[in-house]
Amino acid sequence: MSLLRAEEVSKRFSGLSALDAVSLTVAPGEIVGLIGPNGAGKTTLFNCLYGVLAPDGGRITFDGRDLAGLAVHRRARLGIGRTFQRIELFAGMTVRDHLLVAERARRGDGALWKDLCNRSRPTSDERARADATLGLLGLDDVADRPVESLSLGRGRLVELGRALMIEPRLLLLDEPSSGLDHRETDEMADVLDVVRRERGTAILLVEHDVAMVRRVTSRLYVLDFGQLIADGPTAEVVADARVRQAYLGDTV
Amino acid sequence: MTPPLLELDHVDAGYGPFRALFDVSFSVAEGRALALLGSNGAGKTTVARVASGLVAPTAGHVRLAGDDVTGVAAFRLARRGVAHAPEGRSVFATLTVEENLVLAFREGTKRGHPGVDASLASAYDLFPRLATRRGQVAGTLSGGEQRMLSLARVLVQPPRLLIVDELSLGLAPIIVSEVYATLGRIKAAGTTLLIVEQLVSHALGIADDVVLLTKGRTGYVGPADELGDLDAHFLG
Amino acid sequence: MTDLVSYAIRGVPIGCVFALMAVGVVLTYKTSGVFNLAFGAQAFVSAAVYYETRVRHDWPIWLAFLVAVVALGPAIGYVLDRALFRHLRTAPPIARLVTSLGLLVAIPQMVQIWFGNSPAYNPLGIAPDPGRIFRWGEYALDANQVATILVTLLVVAALTVLFRFSALGLRMRAVVESPRMSELTAINADRVGSSAWMMSSFLAGLSGVLLAPLFAQVEANAFFTLLVAAVAAAAFGGLSSIPLTFAGGLALGVLQQVLAGYLPSDSVVSQGLRPALPFLVLFLLLLFWPPLRGIGRAADPLAGVDPPPPAPAATVRSSGMTTMTRVLAVATVAGFVLAALFWFDAFWLLLFTKGLIFGVIFLSITVLTGMGGQVSLSQAAFAGVGAFATGQLVENFGLPVLPTMFLGALVAAVVGAVLAIPALRLDGLYLTLATLAFALMWENVLVPQTWVSSGPLGVDVPRPLVGPVDFTDDRAFLLLCLVVLALVGLLVLLVKRGTTGRYLDALRGSELAAASIGVDRTRARITTFALSAGIAGLGGGLLASQVGRATPTDYVFFLGLFWVVMVVTLGDRSVQAAITAGMSFLLVPELLSRIDLGFLPEILNPADNPAAIASILFGLGALTYAKHPEGILELQTRRSIERVNTWGAALARRRSATVDASDGPDPAVANGPGGPR
């Protein structure tokens, strides 16, 4: 039983086909990679899965439910979390606040009257859950710092933590290692392993760092010119001649 | 003896109250390629910005071919042949691909000038994908295509000093290799290179000299082949 | 058919005038990224100078035109660019909007000081022979109208060529998007920016001089109202296409004249529809015109070069000092109230009470702009809705006044929510323009209706009477206002600290990321709008009750612009800034009127001209917003805290030098911003 299922998804931009009948599945608790050369349609596919773009054709289901026409924040409430290629944090907020506001949003507990009765402070339960995630990601020491003061690597972890607070069953990660150095990339890979192991979260990631893809993913999809050209267990796909030609060149 | 093309002399720099560089000194001789290495937040991008005039140093001097250019506006340095491809998608998102490319020409921005036509042709030669999208608004390109365009933008007029920041970011491995091959050709044609790069292996493949930055200070400064074990530098 | 054509022809010169201004607005926006709300004010400057030289001093046309348009227009543009907008090139859009609002408030007043308050009737045009009539069969246009049409066509053609074919046009577009990246491309961003401003200011001056003959007199307000039609035309052009903008302006002018010709002039539809047409068109365009969809301005990829914003005062303040300042604040307020109750005479008592009421109204701006990050120009309209609703409910249904005020606030909140629903699709600038259209529609179309205002004299809103307490006593009313202000202040604080405030913080930080954790943007926006409108409505009801009636002139939309300028200048993120702004709004003109500088000419003497001088001060004050978006009050607070911290550090150092080294550091130092710079 797959958690996320995209069937024959197509998208055209002013006549140009960006996605051509792409199908993919993600099962609960597995980490799946999506790679391909630039302009292959990876981001377009991500945006269709996520609800920023509406596909022109095909069907996307999550846990058996058709996602068509569902707004981004509704998909989040169903349990689809996301991080961004260009980091998107809430300026002026501390790391802990990022997690707390996500926790509150998950509970859908934001009635105005509660604010007016001064009953909207974070509960001890909410704090405990935020602390647990901070601990998981190793962000304890910067919990009360504003996010502007963090390095990019830490910032990406905050994004991940924020996404984890909504208890996602599926995480969509857009180039999580982009802009990170070797050490930070290794840390990110470690964290993704831990998240999958401890929380059972399924992950679909777009990534260019082949070393990272090999390390964390068990299956791989390869897009080129809007079409799937290969999919299967990571090791096999990376060895595939067509993939090497289209994407990896001679670097691996 | 001819002075180095670019020289940073005891440079301090930062953003408002935040200081990013402390007493940074190094130089690049004409025709050589220098790689700036270091972990994230070490100040590599700030060095690139100081070199191209985007950020003015708070102390110290920047010299271009022996002339003191400390605090000189970026556009003047650009006119003297300093080209800077900043990190990220540095394209004008509301202009078309071709408008992005012709913007740099001082003599005119229309096709028809022999220089313009030839440069456009060579840019499209380098990145054929851009040729098919020449009339498209740059903001609608994919992330990788925008990176190509930002590199093509600085290459349309062959610069004297080319500063590239995180070139490999967001590019598929096959394209990274192509781009580095291009850089090699540019260098062979006599352009001096200042390369800020995360992928150490690529950078070291082309660099003659290396500057290691740690927390805004210079560590190793010297020839690339005497660098030795990189991990020792990062750990030590 | 002939009728239709002759109406349409009559509309052409008017349409050209709309188009000319619209093209100027689009040009400024395209080349500097500033939506110049002060464009009409700039046009007014040139019109006034042209009038002064041509009519009052009888200069020849060419000389007056040379001075008023060719020289003065670009000169103003150059000064504005050098002094202001050059430094705003990398500032967020809201800073640019607020700056142009400040200019809009200040410039006409400054001109008035020089130009004088006496009416300037019958302005002359630029046509050498204004009496000459051009005829084609039964259709006719006079010389000034022909001149207007010709000049407009010339300008549109020239600008189209500039943008489509010239290197300068391309560079201007590049500089708007990213001045820094343009510099890396060997473009002198400062020079390109200056030329853009000089060009657009020239257009402002040109349209000012061409427009003046259309009105019976040269007067600042006429130019502003005209700007709305121009904005509608600019919206038609998607804020970018010059030919489309021209077509839009022309169509609007023709449509207005044709409607005027066909609808009987005394019908209700005509009286309502004609003045409303530009606003209605603007509103509908903003909501439904596809070219305006998805223009979200591209982010500057080199924004990281800017220094980070300063830390808010609260983060550099130790808890001890927080307590201290709170005690001080309470003591100050209590002192003022006691003084007001026992010492002030009736005049100062009323003034002080009014200041408290404006504090309430201004808190509505704290909610919408400070917390929601959106600039609304319809706060005066919301206050008016509250006031008139209160009055009508009391008069028609005999409801008790005090609860009715809250009912009036509720009505305003509903109006706000209803406005928010279409406005949700808009963002930033477009939302602001939509609120402007709504404010003008309210003022020109709804307020004149008798069921709203009961006529120009307004509707009675008596003082409340609750059991034995009669609030006709000014002291009792003061206490009532104080309680309401305290309650509203508390409400704003609670919302700000509560979940809603956190969601708004998140949305301001990144709408995309906020949606990714399940925050419902629609709901948050409607809540903010309704809350803000409700607070403004409550303040409006109080204000009406203090005076005894709600009159249309108390809630003119221009006041709403003024209010926004005041609040953001002093600080839109804090409750005390809103209250301070409310007090200053009344006290500053009053205090100015007591400064008698007899040696100055009457027009410059604060005692003789307090309102104008206060407007200039407030308007110019808004220009500080660009540098200190946190507001003057917040800035001063942080500075004084830093100063105290520095003293504390010096004291601690001296102590540890003389006394015992085991003495811990001063708590103020421990939380300090990292020492003085």
Side-chain angles (χ1 to χ4, degrees):
Chain A
M1 169 71 200
S2 54
L3 183 63
L4 177 78
R5 176 182 292 275
E7 293 163 48
E8 313 255 302
V9 172
S10 298
K11 180 77 192 171
R12 303 177 72 79
F13 291 116
S14 52
L16 275 166
S17 178
L19 287 178
D20 187 7
V22 174
S23 300
L24 64 75
T25 60
V26 180
E30 70 169 341
I31 303 188
V32 178
L34 177 62
I35 64 171
N38 302 104
K42 303 183 298 288
T43 304
T44 307
L45 178 58
F46 242 53
N47 283 337
C48 287
L49 295 178
Y50 195 58
V52 179
L53 289 175
D56 297 330
R59 206 168 100 94
I60 300 168
T61 57
F62 180 72
D63 202 13
R65 180 174 170 173
D66 193 338
L67 292 182
L70 219 53
V72 174
H73 72 270
R74 299 229 172 270
R75 295 185 193 212
R77 288 181 191 173
L78 285 181
I80 304 180
R82 162 160 203 193
T83 66
F84 301 88
Q85 185 183 355
R86 265 198 197 177
I87 196 160
E88 297 269 351
L89 292 172
F90 305 139
M93 277 200 202
T94 65
V95 173
R96 192 192 303 278
D97 283 347
H98 274 76
L99 305 199
L100 286 174
V101 76
E103 169 70 13
R104 182 60 58 85
R106 178 184 71 85
R107 295 177 181 226
D109 193 14
L112 190 62
W113 67 268
K114 285 197 174 168
D115 290 349
L116 301 184
C117 303
N118 203 10
R119 282 173 57 180
S120 51
R121 286 170 188 277
T123 61
S124 55
D125 183 34
E126 288 176 327
R127 290 188 158 274
R129 281 182 36 86
D131 285 342
T133 303
L134 287 171
L136 181 75
L137 301 177
L139 290 169
D140 316 70
D141 55 325
V142 291
D144 294 309
R145 293 235 313 250
V147 286
E148 290 92 335
S149 65
L150 301 183
S151 67
L152 181 66
R154 284 293 181 89
R156 288 204 182 276
L157 288 177
V158 174
E159 269 200 330
L160 185 62
R162 180 179 65 193
L164 284 175
M165 290 308 286
I166 67 168
E167 292 189 341
R169 280 179 291 166
L170 172 69
L171 272 175
L172 302 175
L173 308 183
D174 198 350
E175 297 201 28
S177 82
S178 175
L180 304 190
D181 58 28
H182 282 300
R183 194 176 40 82
E184 290 168 327
T185 306
D186 282 347
E187 270 176 27
M188 179 60 77
D190 290 341
V191 163
L192 294 184
D193 266 343
V194 171
V195 165
R196 189 187 58 86
R197 246 193 350 259
E198 293 194 3
R199 306 240 165 142
T201 314
I203 298 174
L204 175 63
L205 69 142
V206 166
E207 183 56 65
H208 275 313
D209 187 323
V210 179
M212 168 137 172
V213 168
R214 288 179 128 168
R215 204 187 126 185
V216 301
T217 63
S218 57
R219 284 196 304 126
L220 212 49
Y221 289 92
V222 186
L223 269 181
D224 194 17
F225 290 108
Q227 289 178 314
L228 277 184
I229 58 165
D231 69 272
T234 301
E236 287 175 26
V237 172
V238 169
D240 185 297
R242 270 187 313 161
V243 175
R244 296 185 74 90
Q245 195 201 347
Y247 179 64
L248 299 171
D250 297 320
T251 57
V252 180
Chain B
M1 189 189 138
T2 52
L5 182 64
L6 173 74
E7 184 182 5
L8 268 68
D9 185 5
H10 298 288
V11 164
D12 288 2
Y15 308 92
F18 172 71
R19 263 178 84 189
L21 297 183
F22 302 84
D23 197 26
V24 168
S25 297
F26 67 87
S27 61
V28 199
E30 181 114 45
R32 293 183 65 94
L34 182 138
L36 266 174
L37 305 177
S39 59
N40 260 333
K44 302 188 298 288
T45 292
T46 309
V47 169
R49 287 173 176 172
V50 166
S52 67
L54 269 183
V55 168
T58 50
H61 294 277
V62 183
R63 292 189 195 92
L64 190 65
D67 301 339
D68 192 333
V69 293
T70 316
V72 168
F75 75 92
R76 292 194 197 283
L77 292 183
R79 287 177 190 179
R80 293 184 58 172
V82 178
H84 180 177
E87 64 180 334
R89 304 164 178 187
S90 51
V91 299
F92 293 97
T94 58
L95 306 187
T96 65
V97 168
E98 190 145 311
E99 282 173 335
N100 265 282
L101 292 174
V102 297
L103 197 57
F105 288 99
R106 308 213 21 84
E107 58 271 23
T109 53
K110 285 289 131 199
R111 278 176 169 273
H113 284 272
V116 175
D117 283 356
S119 299
L120 281 180
S122 75
Y124 291 143
D125 224 26
L126 202 55
F127 302 106
R129 205 178 247 282
L130 294 180
T132 62
R133 316 224 152 177
R134 62 176 57 153
Q136 202 174 325
V137 174
T140 61
L141 298 177
S142 80
E145 286 163 347
Q146 292 189 5
R147 288 295 295 154
M148 294 178 204
L149 179 56
S150 64
L151 188 63
R153 240 165 38 74
V154 295
L155 292 180
V156 283
Q157 282 192 318
R160 203 168 163 200
L161 169 66
L162 175 61
I163 304 166
V164 286
D165 194 352
E166 299 287 2
L167 202 54
S168 63
L169 205 71
L171 291 183
I174 191 168
I175 297 182
V176 174
S177 306
E178 271 175 34
V179 164
Y180 268 91
T182 311
L183 278 186
R185 284 197 295 278
I186 293 167
K187 187 191 164 207
T191 298
T192 311
L193 298 177
L194 178 62
I195 303 166
V196 173
E197 185 52 272
Q198 209 69 258
L199 292 179
V200 176
S201 56
H202 277 290
L204 289 181
I206 191 170
D208 306 303
D209 304 300
V210 166
V211 169
L212 268 187
L213 277 178
T214 323
K215 294 191 171 174
R217 292 167 206 278
T218 37
Y220 176 85
V221 179
D225 41 16
E226 290 169 25
L227 179 63
D229 184 14
L230 200 61
D231 283 341
H233 285 287
F234 277 119
L235 298 174
Chain C
M1 187 61 211
T2 355
D3 277 355
L4 180 69
V5 176
S6 80
Y7 293 141
I9 284 188
R10 219 180 296 161
V12 169
I14 298 175
C16 279
V17 159
F18 291 163
L20 197 60
M21 277 193 102
V23 164
V25 169
V26 169
L27 176 74
T28 323
Y29 186 70
K30 266 179 99 156
T31 56
S32 68
V34 176
F35 195 90
N36 190 5
L37 287 169
F39 194 84
Q42 279 178 258
F44 170 63
V45 176
S46 285
V49 170
Y50 189 76
Y51 187 87
E52 180 78 15
T53 51
R54 178 88 186 91
V55 178
R56 289 192 184 150
H57 291 96
D58 207 23
W59 289 14
I61 292 176
W62 65 269
L63 186 60
F65 185 80
L66 204 68
V67 169
V69 178
V70 181
L72 187 65
I76 292 177
Y78 186 73
V79 169
L80 288 182
D81 178 61
R82 284 309 289 258
L84 288 173
F85 290 107
R86 172 170 299 186
H87 313 287
L88 291 180
R89 221 167 272 147
T90 51
I94 189 173
R96 284 175 252 182
L97 199 64
V98 167
T99 307
S100 77
L101 265 182
L103 288 175
L104 170 65
V105 168
I107 288 182
Q109 301 292 343
M110 295 206 284
V111 175
Q112 221 108 53
I113 280 186
W114 161 81
F115 188 57
N117 284 327
S118 52
Y121 293 118
N122 298 326
L124 293 175
I126 57 165
D129 181 7
R132 186 154 168 218
I133 306 287
F134 293 82
R135 290 180 194 283
W136 299 269
E138 48 202 301
Y139 313 122
L141 290 171
D142 71 27
N144 272 322
Q145 289 174 321
V146 171
T148 306
I149 294 170
L150 289 180
V151 169
T152 308
L153 287 175
L154 198 70
V155 164
V156 170
L159 288 181
T160 308
V161 169
L162 175 84
F163 278 114
R164 196 151 295 168
F165 302 109
S166 88
L168 181 64
L170 182 61
R171 294 199 174 117
M172 281 177 174
R173 279 155 61 204
V175 169
V176 174
E177 192 177 327
S178 171
R180 297 241 173 60
M181 230 156 57
S182 307
E183 292 246 320
L184 290 183
T185 321
I187 295 170
N188 185 344
D190 282 346
R191 177 149 9 114
V192 171
S194 288
S195 13
W197 268 101
M198 286 163 72
M199 217 158 70
S200 71
S201 299
F202 167 77
L203 270 192
L206 184 63
S207 45
V209 170
L210 286 176
L211 301 190
L214 280 182
F215 311 123
Q217 65 175 54
V218 178
E219 194 243 340
N221 245 341
F223 285 96
F224 185 77
T225 319
L226 204 66
L227 186 65
V228 176
V231 172
F236 186 74
L239 292 192
S240 108
S241 159
I242 302 263
L244 263 184
T245 303
F246 171 69
L250 206 59
L252 198 58
V254 169
L255 191 64
Q256 210 174 23
Q257 289 304 309
V258 169
L259 274 182
Y262 277 102
L263 296 173
S265 61
D266 53 347
S267 80
V268 182
V269 185
S270 155
Q271 277 175 351
L273 191 62
R274 254 193 67 208
L277 190 68
F279 321 130
L280 214 64
V281 168
L282 174 57
F283 206 73
L284 293 177
L285 280 175
L286 284 170
L287 292 186
F288 300 114
W289 189 234
L292 290 177
R293 290 279 80 80
I295 303 191
R297 282 176 52 79
D300 185 343
L302 283 175
V305 175
D306 297 311
T315 60
V316 298
R317 176 161 58 187
S318 71
S319 59
M321 199 160 5
T322 308
T323 324
M324 211 165 72
T325 43
R326 276 198 192 139
V327 169
L328 254 172
V330 170
T332 316
V333 172
F336 259 110
V337 171
L338 287 177
L341 286 179
F342 299 111
W343 187 50
F344 283 4
D345 61 16
F347 176 79
W348 283 102
L349 190 63
L350 279 177
L351 201 69
F352 188 74
T353 311
K354 216 172 196 174
L356 294 178
I357 298 172
F358 273 103
V360 174
I361 296 180
F362 286 11
L363 279 170
S364 75
I365 299 169
T366 308
V367 170
L368 197 61
T369 307
M371 289 161 56
Q374 288 156 337
V375 177
S376 151
L377 301 179
S378 54
Q379 295 310 100
F382 292 141
V385 170
F388 288 122
T390 308
Q392 296 296 352
L393 287 172
V394 169
E395 191 159 288
N396 293 328
F397 301 99
L399 299 177
V401 178
L402 193 59
T404 310
M405 276 182 202
F406 288 92
L407 220 54
L410 198 66
V411 173
V414 170
V415 172
V418 169
L419 178 65
I421 291 167
L424 275 171
R425 311 176 44 177
L426 305 170
D427 237 325
L429 174 63
Y430 302 112
L431 181 86
T432 304
L433 293 179
T435 59
L436 176 70
F438 169 74
L440 284 163
M441 207 142 57
W442 160 255
E443 179 164 325
N444 289 298
V445 183
L446 291 173
V447 169
Q449 311 286 330
T450 44
W451 59 270
V452 175
S453 63
S454 304
L457 289 179
V459 54
D460 283 334
V461 182
R463 292 278 181 90
L465 182 73
V466 180
V469 188
D470 183 357
F471 289 102
T472 44
D473 176 49
D474 286 340
R475 284 169 219 285
F477 193 71
L478 173 106
L479 286 176
L480 174 70
C481 291
L482 192 70
V483 169
V484 172
L485 177 63
L487 284 177
V488 172
L490 188 68
L491 177 136
V492 171
L493 264 184
L494 285 172
V495 172
K496 189 175 161 191
R497 289 192 191 150
T499 309
T500 309
R502 304 312 277 160
Y503 284 175
L504 290 176
D505 286 345
L507 283 166
R508 254 186 307 125
S510 162
E511 289 208 347
L512 202 58
S516 83
I517 54 172
V519 172
D520 187 345
R521 168 178 174 271
T522 314
R523 203 171 121 186
R525 284 257 173 109
I526 294 181
T527 310
T528 331
F529 248 91
L531 195 64
S532 170
I535 292 172
L538 182 63
L542 271 180
L543 194 62
S545 176
Q546 190 198 19
V547 189
R549 59 192 304 111
T551 53
T553 48
D554 286 337
Y555 305 97
V556 292
F557 87 96
F558 200 80
L559 280 174
L561 311 191
F562 207 99
W563 297 346
V564 172
V565 165
M566 287 211 61
V567 174
V568 296
T569 305
L570 283 170
D572 59 11
R573 301 280 294 145
S574 76
V575 171
Q576 68 265 35
I579 298 173
T580 313
M583 283 290 167
S584 327
F585 180 60
L586 287 158
L587 290 180
V588 168
E590 197 48 49
L591 293 177
L592 279 174
S593 74
R594 313 214 160 214
I595 304 174
D596 192 356
L597 304 174
F599 56 90
L600 287 173
E602 192 174 308
I603 206 85
L604 280 178
N605 187 350
D608 292 318
N609 209 358
I613 290 180
S615 300
I616 294 173
L617 286 180
F618 291 145
L620 295 181
L623 309 185
T624 62
Y625 177 82
K627 225 177 191 145
H628 304 292
E630 76 275 32
I632 293 176
L633 210 66
E634 178 82 359
L635 172 74
Q636 292 307 336
T637 315
R638 198 182 62 244
R639 282 208 180 139
S640 43
I641 290 171
E642 282 173 1
R643 212 168 298 141
V644 172
N645 285 349
T646 317
W647 291 338
L651 208 68
R653 230 176 291 127
R654 207 171 310 149
R655 232 185 338 177
S656 61
T658 52
V659 196
D660 188 357
S662 68
D663 244 354
D666 196 305
V669 182
N671 288 329
R677 276 197 292 130

